[in-house]
Amino acid sequence: MRVTTQGIDVNVLSQAEVVHALAEAPGNHVAFVGAGVSKEAGVPLAGEISQDIREKFLSTSPVPDPDAWARQYLKWDDLRVRYRTCVERYGSAEDRVTYFRQLLSGKRPAFAHHALAMLMADGVLYGTALTTNFDKLLEHAFTEQGFKECQAIRAAEEIEFWNQEQDRNYVFKLHGDYDTHNILNTRMETYSINEYFVEPSRSLFRGRGLLIIGSAGNEDSVVDFIKRIVVSDDRRVLSRGVRWGVYVGEHMPPGISDEASAELVRDAVQDGAVNRQMVELLADANDRFRDRRPCSVFPVWGTGNFFLRLIDALDRPWLKRTAQLFLDHEMRLRSTFSAQGLSEAAIERHLSRLRQARRINGSVSGVEQPPKVAVTAVSPADGVEVRLVYGDISSSAMMTAPEFSGRIRAVVSPEDTSVSAGGGVAYTLLSRAGPRFVLNELAKFAPVGHGTSVATSAGDLPVHYIFHAAALKIEEPRGDYLVDHDSIRATVNDVLAKADALGVAVIWVPLLGAGVGPVPPEHSFEAIMDAIFGASPARRPRVIMVVVYEEDILNRYDAAKVLRSRLPHDAVKVTAGS
């Protein structure tokens, strides 16, 4: 399909056409990835880095007219050189290395990096990729997966090692990385990509195609490099053409037509999603070489989403199974809920609530506080002890108290029937347990029955088991929640039965249905108590702790009242609040 954008006629493919082309010619397309890929891992884009450097300068040396100063000193109005100028002005090579190391501190590969590593390792994409990114996230993805090694080629002396070992993958770091002291456009040599990359790249593209994703192509060095490859007179170079991904949004609208997708691409390119020189180059090459070197643009709704769609289109079960373990959190949730038949409207409503729950959890900061026992109740019939505890159920202080040493311990994770560990307490427990470890086990169970639970090992948590308690069910068509006294009681009963079977002596239980769910905290507590004291003594752990984050959620005296309605008055003791 041809569209006109920026006054240029350009060929637009649908995402389905690109996925088909890549799937039908495994190993015959080379990935070129830009900053948009690492953006999905939280690495700032060039514009954001420029803004940060500008603010750092102005915070230490205020000027009367910041905009005039930035225009002159940082070339702020010239998008082609703004980033380069900002980074150069920042300081010495050592200062720049320190800055970028701090910028990348704590960053982990996004699913896009993991997917690219898997696609390269499995031969779907060619085993060498190109990148202008200064981070090491793609290399780290290979390391985390452990299937193949990936060697970075960053300098002339490293070129000789390229493709010497066929069981290894490679990445050409066209602008080096933060350890080479030549971070993008910070020295004269990097105003253009070094010559030693050009001929190997031409060799790389003989009989193959180029997949560009996550790049706007704004840097002069990228324009020059790609131009030298695309206009090569060697008929074998890029014989499978160029496909340039254009970011058009976060999520693909359901049922979107090819025509509507092409309009999104046209508008994005018009707004500068791809450098005008690159658009002209693609259009000229497509007209000049036609079927011999077809050049096109196509829509991308997130790099990770694009790679996942490619993996789903392949008949490679190993890739599909592995990909699920490395999905970014929200991608995993969408995939889980969609696979279980939830509508887009229900999924989006549920996800918005989970995001809110994660924001609330993330706003709690500071030093970990020791748990505080507010109410203690001991059943005179069998000596089973129930405690109401204020604190973070996922904290190490909660689970490693010396009094429980040597006992089999478990923690309950509040779940929906998808066992998605999507938000609130469930998400926190998953994060601290080690997501891939636990998710690999959960994948064997989902979905589960409403009012039931499943037991997994606890990963990095200092307990033996996690009981994933599905007291909540997401209902169609709007994503409303089905959770009430009966479903909470049934779920806790199921948890207690599994605890008994596994010999669990100590268990931590959060309020169920009272996080993203609509159940008032006191009502959730009542349902949990009904389950505990309605169960046979043999099915109860010796110590059951109901954990509430803070007393504003459930007052200790209200909880004691609930307990005294089920036990003798003197069996319940309340600790005075501090």
Side-chain angles (χ1 to χ4, degrees), residues 377-386 540-543:
V378 180
S379 170
D382 54 19
V384 168
E385 183 177 348
V386 175
R540 287 184 287 186
R542 302 310 301 170
V543 181

Side-chain angles (χ1 to χ4, degrees), residues 524-540:
S524 176
F525 185 74
E526 289 173 350
I528 293 170
M529 293 305 104
D530 282 348
I532 292 172
F533 294 112
S536 64
R539 289 173 56 181
R540 287 184 287 186

Side-chain angles (χ1 to χ4, degrees), residues 16 20 52 57 60 141 214 238 242 263 271 282 297 300 319 331 335 423 438 476 489 509 529:
H20 175 77
D52 181 59
F57 275 124
T60 56
L238 290 178
V242 178
E263 289 178 8
D271 291 339
L282 295 180
V297 294
V300 172
L319 268 183
M331 287 183 66
S335 176
V438 175
E476 292 284 15
R489 180 173 178 170
V509 184
M529 293 305 104

Side-chain angles (χ1 to χ4, degrees), residues 132-135 154 173-178 180 182-183 197:
T132 53
N133 295 346
F134 52 76
D135 58 62
R154 306 168 297 177
K173 306 292 285 285
L174 301 178
H175 286 142
D177 59 35
Y178 56 77
T180 64
N182 68 333
I183 297 163
F197 277 123

Side-chain angles (χ1 to χ4, degrees), residues 250-251 305 328-340 344 347-348 351 355:
E250 189 174 354
H251 302 296
N305 289 324
D328 296 339
H329 185 64
E330 191 154 312
M331 287 183 66
R332 178 179 64 82
L333 294 179
R334 285 185 179 277
S335 176
T336 298
F337 297 141
S338 179
Q340 293 173 20
E344 187 67 26
I347 292 172
E348 190 54 50
L351 289 178
R355 292 184 204 110

Side-chain angles (χ1 to χ4, degrees), residues 384-451:
V384 168
E385 183 177 348
V386 175
R387 302 178 190 173
L388 172 66
V389 182
Y390 294 129
D392 178 359
I393 194 171
S394 66
S395 73
S396 58
M398 184 75 69
M399 301 179 191
T400 57
E403 66 173 303
F404 304 131
S405 177
R407 302 191 193 185
I408 298 177
R409 305 178 304 279
V411 63
V412 173
S413 175
E415 279 289 0
D416 54 62
T417 56
S418 301
V419 286
S420 61
V425 170
Y427 179 70
T428 303
L429 287 170
L430 176 73
S431 300
R432 296 188 179 181
R436 292 184 194 116
F437 188 88
V438 175
L439 290 174
N440 190 38
E441 293 191 63
L442 279 180
K444 303 169 186 175
F445 298 106
V448 301
H450 190 205

Side-chain angles (χ1 to χ4, degrees), residues 17 171-172 342 392 416:
E17 289 175 310
V171 55
F172 282 10
L342 287 180
D392 178 359
D416 54 62

Side-chain angles (χ1 to χ4, degrees), residues 217-234:
N218 281 325
E219 303 96 330
D220 289 343
S221 57
V222 174
V223 173
D224 177 69
F225 175 77
I226 293 180
K227 182 176 182 179
R228 294 172 72 178
I229 302 297
V230 170
V231 302
S232 171
D233 290 330
D234 186 339

